[in-house]
Amino acid sequence: MMRRLINTRLYATSAGADSVKSGSKFKRFFYSTAALVSAAYGGTVYYAMCDDDFYDKFSANIPLCRDIINALDTYDLSKNEKALKSIRDKQYVKRESVVHSSSINYQTLINESSMAVNDKLHDLHDKVREKEHSAEASAKSAQKSENTQQAQNTKDSKSTAVAVSSQAEPNASLDPSEVVNEIQIDDVDPLLREMGIMLNSLLHQNPDLKGNKNFQQLVNSLQTASENFKQEKEHVLEQFKQTLDAELERFEGQVNLNYQEKKKNLVAVYNERLQEALNAISDKAVISYNNKLLQQYSEQKAKFAEKVAQYVDADREGKLRNLDKLSTDVKSLQKLMLQSHKKSDSESSVIDYLVELNKLQQVLKLQSSEPLPLQKYTESIAKARPNDVLVQETLKSFKESSKTDGVLSRKELSDRFQTLEPEIRRSSLVRPGAGITGHIASFVASQFMFKKEGLPEGADIESIIARTNTYLERGDLVRAVAEINGLTGWPKQLAHDWLVEGRKRCEAEFLVDVLSTNGNLLAYK
Amino acid sequence: MTTPETSDRILDDKWDVVLSNGIVKTSLGFGAGVLASVILFKRRAWPVVFGAGFGAGQAWSEGDNIFKNSYKLLQYEDVPETKK
């Protein structure tokens, strides 16, 4: 029991492993095939983009390649345009950053100079305060000594004032034009302007500073610095602007040159490909029109051949059907000849004629497997009755192939039809222009067809075969040939040779009958 | 393509050509599959089946064309003369 269970599980496991293995094999095969095909297709597309000659063949034979290559070219062009735009944007940003950094540098210089000026201002302010304090102290001491020195008050006060003024304003004897007024600083940095405002406020607070020479120098230096700064800034900015303009112009020229060259190359490539596409389309159109012309020519030729075949068939069928009428005409002709015939022919010629005619009849009655040529016998008959118009015309009516190649015997025709019959039956269900499948299907389906016998009615293949067999058994070759002539499609193609041989045999027998009738009439006379 | 002896042998001759072509093409595909299997695919079975199927399919396609074109040619051209 245990062993049976183990065996069952083992078999189940191995079967599952086999199914998984076969599934993985199929997946591996599928993925490897897809990868190989994708790699080959991609490589071919890449090579077609590089080689224009290969592109023509490739685009003519491989589907979707033209669309893919056009899409890749369009993507490349858009990528180049984006790169050019980004380069322009980068240059613009760079220019702005350079301007900004230069402004920052100037701002730093201005800050440094303003800080230096502020320091000087603070020093000056401290000095002024110290001088004011010293002036107040000297004034207090002067008031204390005013009571004691009343007489020298005016003179002393004048000298004190001069001393104070000389201490407070060392340059009291300055020219009025050099007296400091409010500082006028326009169009400079806000820090310098603020510094000017500060100096002005300081001047308002301490009007004594107007005559101070140091203050005057400080103001002058500030104004000079601001003007120098302004000029230097304008000069540097002008130089920088010129440099940037030159650089920008040079870069734009280079970019434009590259862009024009790239554009020119792309336009040339596109024009070339467009020309090739137009050439391919025109070639295709020419080939298409040529094919249409050939098709029309072949259709017309087929129609012509069909008409000729119909005409020939109708003519032959007419001949076969009008045998009785022709026989009647010949008989009437014989009667006329009998009436107008003069007894100039010797009896020997008639005997020769009948002997040769008998030989011909015997040859036709032979049941040989190979056809015997009739030319020897027809020439002998013609020699026996050289002046007989009926005989000569009848002998001329023999087909040339009947004279040289001979005609098949009835037995041979019957045997050949027995060989032909299964072939006709097998191909009876094949439609015209069918392939292997149609032939195999017809072969299989024909095995299940019911065979008929006797003289059944109908136009189906079994009825035609049955009627033909019956007529051949009865010796009615003319009707058997007429039945086979009613076939169509592949069966008629297969029976073509038999039909030709049957017609030849019928015509030869009919002509021999005519000659025989003529011989009987000659013998009667 | 050989000329048929008689008209009733036309289809037999076509079948001879089609079958021989099928044998040759299938054998060539089979051989190529065996070579590919041994050299490239570590003696796997699928290249052999693929090659043989490819050859058989090619032979089938050519056989179809032989039958289709032969009927058209028979319509346009004269049927060959009967053997003497």
Side-chain angles (χ1 to χ4, degrees):
Chain A
M1 185 69 183
M2 192 67 185
R3 185 179 294 167
R4 195 177 295 167
L5 183 63
I6 291 169
N7 285 336
T8 310
R9 290 195 175 181
L10 277 175
Y11 287 138
T13 309
S14 62
D18 288 342
S19 63
V20 170
K21 198 174 180 183
S22 62
S24 65
K25 274 184 179 179
F26 176 74
K27 280 182 183 175
R28 203 177 298 161
F29 167 70
F30 178 76
Y31 289 142
S32 59
T33 307
L36 284 173
V37 170
S38 303
Y41 194 86
T44 316
V45 167
Y46 177 74
Y47 189 68
M49 289 177 72
C50 300
D51 191 354
D52 288 340
D53 294 335
F54 183 73
Y55 169 78
D56 295 338
K57 296 173 186 172
F58 181 59
S59 61
N61 295 318
I62 308 296
L64 293 176
C65 76
R66 193 187 298 273
D67 297 333
I68 290 172
I69 291 175
N70 286 338
L72 288 174
D73 285 341
T74 309
Y75 173 73
D76 194 18
L77 186 63
S78 64
K79 194 176 172 184
N80 288 334
E81 286 180 352
K82 281 181 183 176
L84 187 62
K85 192 178 178 183
S86 67
I87 288 169
R88 282 182 175 172
D89 292 342
K90 280 180 184 176
Q91 292 303 320
Y92 178 75
V93 170
K94 189 177 176 183
R95 184 179 172 186
E96 291 294 322
S97 66
V98 167
V99 171
H100 183 66
S101 63
S102 64
S103 66
I104 288 171
N105 291 332
Y106 286 118
Q107 200 76 24
T108 310
L109 287 173
I110 289 165
N111 288 334
E112 289 175 355
S113 61
S114 64
M115 285 174 68
V117 170
N118 280 331
D119 293 340
K120 285 183 179 180
L121 278 175
H122 283 297
D123 294 340
L124 186 62
H125 192 263
D126 293 338
K127 286 178 182 176
V128 169
R129 286 290 175 90
E130 286 174 1
K131 284 180 181 177
E132 282 177 357
H133 286 301
S134 62
E136 285 176 357
S138 61
K140 284 178 180 177
S141 63
Q143 283 179 359
K144 286 178 180 176
S145 62
E146 190 178 359
N147 297 322
T148 57
Q149 294 179 358
Q150 204 56 257
Q152 296 176 350
N153 196 7
T154 307
K155 197 174 179 179
D156 290 338
S157 63
K158 278 183 181 177
S159 62
T160 305
V162 169
V164 170
S165 64
S166 62
Q167 288 177 354
E169 295 174 0
N171 297 322
S173 61
L174 281 173
D175 195 32
S177 61
E178 292 178 353
V179 174
V180 177
N181 293 319
E182 286 189 355
I183 299 168
Q184 299 294 327
I185 300 172
D186 298 329
D187 298 334
V188 291
D189 189 76
L191 289 173
L192 287 176
R193 185 176 295 170
E194 190 180 351
M195 202 182 307
I197 292 167
M198 194 184 297
L199 288 176
N200 285 332
S201 63
L202 189 64
L203 195 62
H204 282 297
Q205 288 174 2
N206 301 299
D208 297 335
L209 289 174
K210 283 186 178 179
N212 194 321
K213 193 174 182 180
N214 291 331
F215 190 77
Q216 175 68 29
Q217 285 177 352
L218 178 64
V219 170
N220 288 335
S221 64
L222 181 62
Q223 286 182 346
T224 308
S226 68
E227 286 174 2
N228 289 336
F229 171 73
K230 192 175 177 182
Q231 288 176 0
E232 189 178 357
K233 182 181 175 184
E234 286 177 355
H235 179 67
V236 170
L237 278 176
E238 187 67 26
Q239 280 186 347
F240 183 70
K241 187 179 175 186
Q242 287 176 359
T243 309
L244 277 182
D245 288 341
E247 187 71 20
L248 182 65
E249 191 175 355
R250 186 183 65 78
F251 181 74
E252 281 184 351
Q254 188 177 357
V255 169
N256 278 330
L257 195 65
N258 290 335
Y259 176 72
Q260 293 296 334
E261 189 178 355
K262 189 84 177 173
K263 187 177 176 183
K264 193 175 177 182
N265 291 334
L266 283 175
V267 167
V269 170
Y270 272 111
N271 285 334
E272 190 178 353
R273 287 190 179 170
L274 185 65
Q275 185 65 33
E276 288 170 358
L278 287 173
N279 289 335
I281 290 169
S282 65
D283 292 343
K284 197 173 178 183
V286 168
I287 291 169
S288 171
Y289 285 126
N290 283 334
N291 288 336
K292 283 183 181 175
L293 282 174
L294 286 173
Q295 187 181 0
Q296 286 181 355
Y297 172 72
S298 58
E299 284 175 359
Q300 294 296 329
K301 193 176 175 184
K303 284 181 183 175
F304 178 71
E306 190 178 357
K307 282 186 180 177
V308 170
Q310 286 176 356
Y311 177 74
V312 170
D313 287 343
D315 190 42
R316 289 202 183 281
E317 286 175 6
K319 279 183 181 177
L320 289 173
R321 286 174 186 170
N322 293 330
L323 283 176
D324 294 337
K325 189 180 176 184
L326 186 61
S327 178
T328 310
D329 292 343
V330 170
K331 283 178 182 175
S332 63
L333 188 61
Q334 287 172 353
K335 283 181 183 177
L336 287 173
M337 289 186 69
L338 279 173
Q339 290 175 0
S340 62
H341 190 266
K342 296 177 181 178
K343 293 185 178 179
S344 58
D345 294 335
S346 62
E347 291 181 357
S348 60
S349 66
V350 175
I351 291 170
D352 290 342
Y353 170 72
L354 291 174
V355 169
E356 295 299 331
L357 183 60
N358 190 30
K359 287 180 182 175
L360 180 59
Q361 287 174 335
Q362 292 302 321
V363 166
L364 285 178
K365 284 178 183 175
L366 280 175
Q367 301 295 329
S368 63
S369 59
E370 293 294 327
L372 291 174
L374 304 179
Q375 191 162 13
K376 185 173 68 176
Y377 306 101
T378 54
E379 286 177 354
S380 301
I381 293 169
K383 281 180 185 174
R385 299 291 293 175
N387 297 322
D388 195 335
V389 179
L390 175 65
V391 172
Q392 296 299 328
E393 291 298 325
T394 307
L395 291 175
K396 281 181 185 175
S397 298
F398 274 91
K399 277 190 171 182
E400 200 61 35
S401 60
S402 299
K403 291 178 183 175
T404 55
D405 301 336
V407 293
L408 290 176
S409 63
R410 285 175 176 264
K411 182 177 179 296
E412 181 65 16
L413 280 173
S414 181
D415 291 343
R416 287 198 180 189
F417 185 74
Q418 297 305 318
T419 310
L420 180 65
E421 181 185 335
E423 298 287 339
I424 293 175
R425 187 174 285 114
R426 282 174 203 155
S427 62
S428 61
L429 300 177
V430 179
R431 63 177 176 80
I436 292 179
T437 315
H439 284 270
I440 292 174
S442 173
F443 178 78
V444 173
S446 64
Q447 305 299 320
F448 300 101
M449 292 168 67
F450 292 104
K451 293 182 180 177
K452 295 180 180 177
E453 290 181 353
L455 293 172
E457 291 184 353
D460 58 308
I461 191 72
E462 289 297 336
S463 300
I464 291 172
I465 289 173
R467 287 199 296 268
T468 308
N469 274 324
T470 305
Y471 288 136
L472 284 175
E473 286 171 3
R474 291 179 184 177
D476 194 350
L477 187 60
V478 175
R479 288 192 175 182
V481 169
E483 288 292 341
I484 294 299
N485 194 39
L487 293 173
T488 56
W490 270 110
K492 189 164 187 179
Q493 296 296 335
L494 296 178
H496 181 271
D497 284 359
W498 190 90
L499 201 58
V500 170
E501 292 297 327
R503 282 171 180 164
K504 276 168 63 179
R505 173 82 192 184
C506 290
E507 288 175 3
E509 286 182 353
F510 170 73
L511 293 173
V512 168
D513 284 344
V514 171
L515 291 175
S516 176
T517 307
N518 186 35
N520 290 335
L521 288 172
L522 290 174
Y524 178 72
K525 285 190 287 187
Chain B
M1 193 177 293
T2 55
T3 306
E5 294 180 348
T6 54
S7 65
D8 56 335
R9 296 281 304 163
I10 292 173
L11 279 178
D12 293 339
D13 289 338
K14 302 294 176 199
W15 273 114
D16 290 344
V17 173
V18 169
L19 290 177
S20 61
N21 188 39
I23 291 169
V24 169
K25 292 284 167 61
T26 308
S27 303
L28 283 175
F30 181 83
V34 168
L35 281 179
S37 172
V38 170
I39 295 172
L40 298 175
F41 297 104
K42 298 179 181 177
R43 303 178 70 181
R44 297 289 171 84
W46 65 265
V48 180
V49 177
F50 181 77
F54 189 85
Q58 179 78 6
W60 184 279
S61 173
E62 289 178 3
D64 250 350
N65 285 331
I66 287 172
F67 277 114
K68 287 175 183 173
N69 293 332
S70 62
Y71 188 80
K72 292 177 186 172
L73 289 174
L74 285 173
Q75 295 297 308
Y76 299 151
E77 296 176 359
D78 292 331
V79 176
E81 286 289 330
T82 310
K83 186 187 176 185
K84 295 176 185 177

